[in-house]
Every structure is written in C-alpha cells, then in structure tokens.
C-alpha cells in the first residue's frame, strides 16, 4: 500500500491538502497547484522512501565523522559518552 | 409530601425536607419543580479511519460530525470529544464548530490564533488525545451540527494514526469520538 500522506510531504512540500482515510479517493487538494494523479503519487513513493533513507544515511555519516574526529583529537570513548552521548554507536 | 399515581412518594416545593429525614436522595428526580439538569438525549459518533492534513487553515475532520435537535430552545448541549491527534513536525490545533460558527475558542491575541486545544510534540512525532468539553446554548429547536476542525502550522497533522504511522505492530490505528448530550435547563 502506498503511503499517500508520507509521499506527498516529500513530493509536494508546502502543498496543502487533506486525506480522508488511506486511499487516493479521499485526497482533497487545497493548494492552487495541480492535484497530483494517483499514478504520479505511486511513482513518487519510492523516491520519497529513498530520500528519507538518504537523509538518515547522511545523518549517521555526519555522526560517525564527528566521532572519528573527536577520537583523533585524543578524546576517549568514556569522555565522548559523557560529553556527546548522541555520538554513541555512530 | 405527596405520592405519585404509581405510589412513589415525592417531595413538593412546599415541603421542608428536614421534616423527612428518611427520604432518600434517590427521590431527587421527583422533587416538585426541579426538573432541570436531566439528560434528554445523547448522540455519539466515532471515527475509526485516519485523516491527515497539511492545511494551515482549519478544515473539518471528515466523519467527526454529530447532529442533534434540541427538544426545547432552553436546552443546553454538552459537547464531549476526544481526538487522537498525531502532528508530525507541526503544531496541531483544533476548534469546535456549531453550524458555521466557531464556539468555545480562546481569544486571539496578536499573531496568536484562537483555538480550543493544541498539541506540539516538539521534534519528531508523537500521538496524544486532545479533548473538547464545552457546554453550549444553541437557543433553537432546529437541528444543530457540531464538528471538530484541525489545522497545522507546518508539517502534517493526522488523526487516528500514531507515531510515524509505519506498518508496524507498535504503531496502532486509533479512534476519535464526539458525543452530544442535551441537558434540560
């Protein structure tokens, strides 16, 4: 099942709409821009999934780089755990 | 003290209740001239499917609408509603509407809008039940329509979904209910 709400937030950022239920039939387009077709949303879904995955990958890479840099400066794992707990597992 | 045709004793307005220490409070509904405060009818609607919007203006939550026809113009309508709301990177606000009239909202001040309830989960997404509890005086015997509206300031606001609404056994689909009670004046 295509997650229409999830897809639209990525494929049409800033657009205003309502979705009653989970199906395309429940989509009411409030913005002045053209309402996307069901096929366009279906096509956009894998792109939205990839965009979210890429964003998470970028976030984890930034954490990993920060942790490596901190260790290269002489910080220990124990120090990082206290000072930068968000780097745990990066 | 008088007795109904069915044989039930009741207190008349001319009686001094202190003279009848054995009279139970269960007889309160039989006290002469005090018929106010009774529940005359109840209407309840439950929405079980999801609703999502990115609208920055208030929009109806489809299916969270209830109609009631007061039996007298002096009746009060007690509106009770719980909404399972799930903003995602958004401030969700709700308001109560009778017909086309917004009722029960706060007083807007500057850029601060009027709303009846709100929920801001901060970063990320969380679900909570927000409530509406309002005693209305429609002063009419025509059918009255009560509905709940929501808006977002950004992001999306969903109803009856939880967390990220992923296909996950820990992220249930929820329900929301609006109940109307006609109370005699």
């Amino acid at each position: 099942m295509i997650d229409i709400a999830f897809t639209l937030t990525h494929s049409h950022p800033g657009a205003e709409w309502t979705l009653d239920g989970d199906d395309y039939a429940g989509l009411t387009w409030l913005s002045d821009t053209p309402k996307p077709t069901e096929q366009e949303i279906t096509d956009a879904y894998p792109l939205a999934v990839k965009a979210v995955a890429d964003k998470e990958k970028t976030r984890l890479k930034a954490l990993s780089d920060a942790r490596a840099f901190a260790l290269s400066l002489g910080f220990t794992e124990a120090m990082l755990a206290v000072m930068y707990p968000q780097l745990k597992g990066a | 003290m008088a007795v109904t045709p069915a044989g039930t004793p009741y207190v008349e307005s001319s009686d001094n209740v202190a003279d009848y220490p054995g009279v139970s409070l269960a007889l309160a509904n039989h006290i002469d001239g005090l018929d106010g405060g009774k529940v005359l009818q109840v209407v309840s609607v439950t929405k079980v499917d999801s609703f999502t919007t990115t609208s920055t203006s208030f929009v109806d939550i489809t299916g969270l609408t209830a109609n009631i026809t007061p039996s007298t113009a002096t009746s009060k309508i007690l509106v009770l509603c719980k909404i399972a709301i799930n903003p995602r990177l958004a401030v969700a606000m709700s308001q109560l509407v009778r017909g086309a009239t917004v009722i029960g909202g706060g007083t807007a001040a500057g850029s601060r809008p009027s709303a009846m309830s709100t929920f801001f989960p901060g970063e990320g997404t969380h679900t909570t039940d927000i409530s509406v509890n309002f005693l209305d005086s429609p002063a009419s015997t025509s059918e009255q329509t009560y509905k709940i509206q929501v808006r977002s300031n950004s992001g999306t606001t969903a109803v009856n979904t939880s967390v990220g609404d992923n296909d996950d056994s820990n992220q249930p689909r929820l329900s929301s209910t609006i109940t109307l009670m006609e109370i005699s004046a």
Side-chain angles (χ1 to χ4, degrees), chain B residues 166-179:
Chain B
N166 297 313
D167 191 7
D168 184 320
S169 62
N170 293 317
Q171 299 187 25
R173 285 293 180 88
L174 309 165
S175 67
S176 298
T177 299
I178 182 170
T179 300

Side-chain angles (χ1 to χ4, degrees), chain A residues 24-86:
Chain A
Y24 183 79
L27 178 62
T28 300
W29 201 253
L30 303 175
S31 289
D32 293 334
T33 55
K35 177 183 177 180
T37 65
E38 186 170 13
Q39 187 59 52
E40 287 171 337
I41 295 174
T42 301
D43 293 343
Y45 178 67
L47 301 177
V49 171
K50 183 175 185 306
V52 171
D54 288 349
K55 186 177 178 183
E56 179 64 6
K57 191 175 174 182
T58 300
R59 187 184 72 84
L60 292 175
K61 175 73 165 53
L63 286 176
S64 178
D65 289 349
R67 178 174 171 274
F69 181 65
L71 291 172
S72 74
L73 293 177
F75 287 91
T76 66
E77 293 282 4
M79 294 164 69
L80 291 180
V82 172
M83 297 169 64
Y84 303 103
Q86 67 272 32

Side-chain angles (χ1 to χ4, degrees), chain B residues 86-164:
Chain B
N86 178 213
R88 300 168 197 165
L89 299 175
V91 177
M93 301 176 212
S94 73
Q95 68 179 15
L96 174 64
V97 176
R98 184 209 326 118
T101 305
V102 177
I103 54 177
T107 303
S111 297
R112 291 161 285 218
S114 170
M116 180 165 263
S117 55
T118 186
F119 179 50
F120 175 50
E123 292 295 321
T125 175
H126 298 283
T127 303
T128 193
D129 283 341
I130 59 176
S131 63
V132 168
N133 182 341
F134 186 73
L135 187 63
D136 188 32
S137 301
S140 170
T141 54
S142 301
E143 182 180 69
Q144 304 295 313
T145 298
Y146 291 85
K147 58 189 177 182
I148 304 297
Q149 297 181 324
V150 291
R151 57 167 281 193
S152 288
N153 71 323
S154 63
T156 63
T157 290
V159 173
N160 291 350
T161 64
S162 59
V163 202

Side-chain angles (χ1 to χ4, degrees), chain B:
Chain B
M1 182 76 78
V3 178
T4 68
T8 304
Y10 68 93
V11 179
E12 297 176 288
S13 57
S14 58
D15 286 331
N16 182 353
V17 178
D19 294 337
Y20 303 93
V23 173
S24 163
L25 288 178
L27 293 177
N29 281 343
H30 297 288
I31 294 177
D32 187 27
L34 291 179
D35 290 332
K38 291 181 180 174
V39 177
L40 302 179
Q41 59 173 315
V42 177
V43 175
S44 189
V45 173
T46 296
K47 177 180 176 62
V48 297
D49 60 355
S50 64
F51 177 85
T52 310
T53 187
T54 57
S55 178
T56 54
S57 303
F58 281 106
V59 292
D60 296 351
I61 300 175
T62 311
L64 207 54
T65 298
N67 300 317
I68 192 168
T69 303
S71 54
T72 71
T74 57
S75 290
K76 307 282 188 182
I77 304 297
L78 179 60
V79 183
L80 302 171
C81 186
K82 89 97 180 172
I83 310 155
I85 204 155
N86 178 213
R88 300 168 197 165
L89 299 175
V91 177
M93 301 176 212
S94 73
Q95 68 179 15
L96 174 64
V97 176
R98 184 209 326 118
T101 305
V102 177
I103 54 177
T107 303
S111 297
R112 291 161 285 218
S114 170
M116 180 165 263
S117 55
T118 186
F119 179 50
F120 175 50
E123 292 295 321
T125 175
H126 298 283
T127 303
T128 193
D129 283 341
I130 59 176
S131 63
V132 168
N133 182 341
F134 186 73
L135 187 63
D136 188 32
S137 301
S140 170
T141 54
S142 301
E143 182 180 69
Q144 304 295 313
T145 298
Y146 291 85
K147 58 189 177 182
I148 304 297
Q149 297 181 324
V150 291
R151 57 167 281 193
S152 288
N153 71 323
S154 63
T156 63
T157 290
V159 173
N160 291 350
T161 64
S162 59
V163 202
D165 196 37
N166 297 313
D167 191 7
D168 184 320
S169 62
N170 293 317
Q171 299 187 25
R173 285 293 180 88
L174 309 165
S175 67
S176 298
T177 299
I178 182 170
T179 300
L180 308 177
M181 304 173 76
E182 181 187 2
I183 311 293
S184 63

